[in-house]
Amino acid sequence: MVTVDSARPSAEQPVPGAMGTADIVFFVLAGVSPMGVVVALLALSIALGSGAGVPGTYVIAGVVLALFSAGYVRMSRRITNVGGFYTYARQGLGRRGGGATAYVALLAYNVATIGIFGTLAYFGSAVISDLVGVTVPWQLCGAVFFVVVAALSYFEVTLSAKVLGLSLAAEVLILLAFDAAVLVENGFHGFSLSVFNPSVVMGSGAGVSLMLAFGSFVGFEATALYGEESRDPRRTVPRATYVSLALITVFYLFTTWAAISAYGVQHAQAAAQAGPQTFIFDATGKYLGSAATDIMQVLVVTSLFAAFLAFHCNTARYHLALSRDGLLPRAMARIHPEHRSPVVASAVQLGLVAVVTFAFTLAGQDPYLGMGIALYGLGVVGIVLLQALAAASIVGFFLRHRAGESVWGAIVAPAIGGLGLLVGFVLMILNYSTLTGTTSTWVNSLPWLLLAATAVGAVAAGRQREHTDGDDHAAVQEAAGA
């Protein structure tokens, strides 16, 4: 069996054994941002997509990602590296394929992080103004969030995990309270099974709903990024992956089902079309009272903050992996000697956030509509493309090194999952203007940057000298047994 483990100087190695399954799950679920997805995407999916059939699209997306995960977790047992998809592609698709994947990851995660930051700053200012009556510039709100994330990322990763756990618990609890209130009020008969009827799920607008469903899961793939920092990565990462995917699927399924039941199957789409921004808030106010709506507004901000922190940490680890392998400046690989955090990689990522935010501000762009939606939309498309590339990498790797693994789990399942992800990527490209919510030509042309990143990455990797003492700073070893 081929295994790939980190084998690098201590100056470039994060603290091993710091994170358990729960810590990684907190990072993943916070990056997914359940509250943000429910508020921002659920109503849009119902309004523009398949209406009452939206819960069924989450089932489809969950099944596709479960098939992908069958190979993903097997790969995580063989490869322990902060490079995630990049390291997998390097082993499964070769050096140029790895370089192409690396630069797509670099672009996708950075723009997604910056987009989340712009959205966070906007909603932070709006919620303070709405609840307190004091106008606070979004730039000031953004600066406060920026400093807090910089401080948290400086220390050991477990501190960030604790903060994410608290934020995640609060947003999930209020949404579960909403689900329970709708169930108590309407009873089981109010949750119509017609929402899973294939003709409803795959009806008019199904492409938009499937696109948004796949987009709602973006962030779940980050489990492998923390392999080097986890306890017993060959067990911790697979567990965290399956737990995260199961929780995300079940949560979205029941919350969307509850939201549709709150309005009624026949009326949900019309209500979402009439007021997508207030769709969830209005339903929450009806079933839990106005105080719950105010709390939910605050939790939208904490959810976005958690997503910003999680995506920043994910992106910093990609910076670290690429710098160790010569695809970024080597100085970015330095680890803090005490906290074992990727301080230089984090500083560079936050520097990009600051520079891009400043540029958008000078250009007079809105932090949400101009920066947030445009850049996060590009990041979502890029990460789904990464997932599809990872599926191809996994199949390629196990076609050569399948010892001890089942054909179904190592090859067939990830191949089917990869095809599903490719369909999701194509749907996103075809419906990109819906994802971004704008008709702006420059915004809707952003996916071309992914093609440019792919080409640049392949060329950069091709120019690297061949490593004779271990590729990607990872020692490839042959071991007997499965």
Side-chain angles (χ1 to χ4, degrees):
M1 178 180 76
V2 174
T3 59
V4 182
D5 295 290
S6 62
R8 58 188 57 84
S10 60
E12 297 177 2
Q13 183 178 11
V15 57
M19 303 180 73
T21 300
D23 295 320
I24 299 177
V25 169
F26 289 150
F27 266 95
V28 168
L29 296 185
V32 170
S33 185
M35 179 68 78
V37 166
V38 168
V39 171
L41 297 186
L42 187 151
L44 190 63
S45 184
I46 295 173
L48 303 179
S50 53
V54 168
T57 63
Y58 280 107
V59 174
I60 294 172
V63 169
V64 168
L65 290 171
L67 291 168
F68 163 74
S69 296
Y72 188 53
V73 298
R74 284 169 169 80
M75 199 75 162
S76 71
R77 296 190 186 108
R78 306 289 187 97
I79 299 177
T80 303
N81 189 283
V82 295
F85 288 164
Y86 154 61
T87 311
Y88 293 0
R90 184 92 176 196
Q91 297 299 321
L93 299 179
R95 193 154 49 95
R96 290 182 183 274
T101 302
Y103 276 60
V104 170
L106 194 66
L107 173 64
Y109 273 93
N110 270 296
V111 296
T113 304
I114 298 168
I116 292 170
F117 174 74
T119 304
L120 169 63
Y122 171 84
F123 275 100
S125 173
V127 169
I128 291 174
S129 176
D130 186 46
L131 297 183
V132 182
V134 177
T135 301
V136 179
W138 69 264
Q139 293 92 339
L140 178 58
C141 286
V144 172
F145 295 132
F146 184 95
V147 170
V148 174
V149 166
L152 288 171
S153 63
Y154 179 80
F155 294 102
E156 187 176 319
V157 69
T158 50
L159 177 60
S160 294
K162 291 180 175 65
V163 172
L164 292 175
L166 290 173
S167 173
L168 181 67
E171 61 184 281
V172 168
L173 282 174
I174 194 166
L175 288 171
L176 289 178
F178 167 71
D179 296 348
V182 175
L183 179 60
V184 170
E185 180 73 19
N186 297 341
F188 286 103
H189 65 277
F191 283 70
S192 173
L193 292 175
S194 66
V195 300
F196 301 110
N197 188 314
S199 63
V200 176
V201 175
M202 301 307 296
S204 175
V208 173
S209 289
L210 283 169
M211 171 193 70
L212 293 173
F214 278 109
S216 300
F217 283 85
V218 163
F220 108 94
E221 75 290 334
T223 50
L225 294 176
Y226 297 94
E228 289 184 33
E229 297 160 273
S230 65
R231 304 174 198 128
D232 190 5
R234 288 177 177 81
R235 295 180 182 228
T236 302
V237 172
R239 286 174 183 167
T241 301
Y242 281 131
V243 169
S244 298
L245 182 59
L247 290 175
I248 293 168
T249 304
V250 172
F251 178 80
Y252 284 152
L253 169 61
F254 280 101
T255 300
T256 54
W257 200 2
I260 289 169
S261 299
Y263 287 94
V265 171
Q266 303 300 324
H267 307 290
Q269 188 167 38
Q273 291 170 342
Q277 299 91 340
T278 60
F279 181 77
I280 287 296
F281 293 124
D282 290 345
T284 302
K286 176 182 177 181
Y287 284 89
L288 292 178
S290 59
T293 302
D294 293 340
I295 293 172
M296 185 174 282
Q297 285 183 284
V298 174
L299 291 178
V300 168
V301 177
T302 62
S303 176
L304 289 169
F305 172 79
F308 175 44
L309 174 58
F311 264 84
H312 164 70
C313 291
N314 297 346
T315 308
R317 278 150 183 81
Y318 266 114
H319 286 182
L320 175 63
L322 301 190
S323 62
R324 292 191 309 203
D325 292 339
L327 291 171
L328 287 176
R330 185 72 183 204
M332 291 173 61
R334 189 168 67 84
I335 298 293
H336 191 281
E338 179 183 354
H339 303 302
R340 314 306 302 167
S341 56
V343 286
V344 179
S346 289
V348 170
Q349 203 288 312
L350 288 172
L352 285 172
V353 172
V355 169
V356 174
T357 301
F358 185 67
F360 269 80
T361 302
L362 286 181
Q365 293 290 315
D366 183 87
Y368 175 48
L369 299 177
M371 184 170 76
I373 289 179
L375 297 186
Y376 184 69
L378 176 61
V380 166
V381 175
I383 293 172
V384 172
L385 174 60
L386 278 175
Q387 292 171 347
L389 289 172
S393 305
I394 291 164
V395 172
F397 179 84
F398 283 116
L399 282 173
R400 300 191 306 273
H401 308 297
R402 192 178 58 83
E405 301 287 1
S406 68
V407 174
W408 167 257
I411 297 174
V412 177
I416 297 173
L419 288 174
L421 287 164
L422 186 60
V423 170
F425 172 72
V426 171
L427 287 172
M428 287 182 174
I429 294 297
L430 294 177
N431 296 280
Y432 189 71
S433 60
T434 300
L435 183 66
T436 60
T438 179
T439 57
S440 171
T441 301
W442 76 268
V443 171
N444 292 324
S445 299
L446 286 175
W448 287 105
L449 292 175
L450 295 171
L451 181 61
T454 302
V456 172
V459 171
R463 289 179 177 176
Q464 284 184 301
R465 65 180 180 85
E466 293 288 349
H467 295 285
T468 58
D469 56 350
D471 231 355
D472 301 326
H473 285 283
V476 181
Q477 303 170 340
E478 294 288 344

